[in-house]
Amino acid sequence: MTRITIPTRDEAPEASKPLLDAVHAKLGVVPNLFRLIAKSPAALTGYLGFNGALTKALDVKTRERIAIAVAQVNGCDYCLSAHTYLGLNLAKISPEEVALNRRGRSSDPRADAAVAFAAKVARERGHVTDADISAVRGAGYTDAQIVEIVALVADNVFTNFLNEVAATEIDFPIVRSAEAA
């Protein structure tokens, strides 16, 4: 059972309603996560701004691979379910690739460096080594892209933590982090 009540669009604070309408216009639906964040117009504004800006970071496949890896590290079934669905249907990642992403890997050598780095950043809370930085640089990522990878991890950690705190009801095909990839 959800621990924080998720409002409908009409129950959301007035300042959140136009933001939820924009989400609906973009996605065709408003997932529970967005309605949960809408409890706080400030949080929703910040999240949508940060998340929207990060759509310009890297490519959609790499962003979804990172989201899957971070959700698995953090044991967030809501985000793992959402990003598995998005990875398969939006980014067109194969089921085999999703399984690798859950293990912090990728079949694409360049993406593998980004996903492995992102998983380590999440797992070690940013305490990476010089060798970790060298590995991601060695795969061709610039310092700006390394910043973007860390930003994507932070964006996903926010939603992972919030969904775990709230025990958000999963409104995507369910994938459990405790089940083998």
Side-chain angles (χ1 to χ4, degrees):
M1 177 167 204
T2 300
R3 294 186 277 211
I4 298 176
T5 304
I6 296 175
T8 65
R9 184 250 182 233
D10 292 337
E11 295 167 340
E14 283 302 316
S16 292
K17 289 177 183 177
L19 301 171
L20 292 175
D21 292 343
V23 169
H24 187 270
K26 183 176 180 183
L27 303 178
V29 298
V30 181
N32 287 341
L33 166 66
F34 292 94
R35 291 187 295 114
L36 170 62
I37 300 172
K39 297 284 278 191
S40 166
L44 184 59
T45 299
Y47 174 70
L48 290 174
F50 192 50
N51 186 265
L54 291 176
T55 64
K56 296 173 180 73
L58 308 173
D59 62 275
V60 68
K61 286 186 180 198
T62 303
R63 291 193 313 268
E64 289 305 322
R65 288 170 171 139
I66 288 170
I68 291 166
V70 173
Q72 182 68 41
V73 166
N74 289 320
C76 180
D77 292 347
Y78 184 95
C79 291
L80 185 59
S81 299
H83 288 288
T84 296
Y85 178 84
L86 293 170
L88 293 168
N89 295 288
L90 173 71
K92 304 298 184 193
I93 297 170
S94 71
E96 297 78 18
E97 179 68 11
V98 169
L100 284 170
N101 302 157
R102 289 180 63 187
R103 294 193 298 272
R105 308 303 315 184
S106 174
S107 61
D108 176 276
R110 186 164 190 268
D112 185 61
V115 173
F117 180 71
K120 185 156 190 189
V121 168
R123 195 172 41 256
E124 302 299 327
R125 295 188 216 124
H127 297 278
V128 298
T129 65
D130 291 346
D132 296 322
I133 299 290
S134 293
V136 78
R137 278 188 183 136
Y141 288 96
T142 65
D143 286 353
Q145 290 171 318
I146 292 170
V147 171
E148 291 171 352
I149 292 167
V150 175
L152 288 161
V153 171
D155 182 55
N156 282 283
V157 166
F158 168 66
T159 59
N160 293 172
F161 285 11
L162 180 59
N163 283 310
E164 287 303 302
V165 166
T168 307
E169 181 181 343
I170 300 171
D171 49 354
F172 292 91
I174 296 174
V175 179
R176 301 280 180 206
S177 59
E179 296 170 4

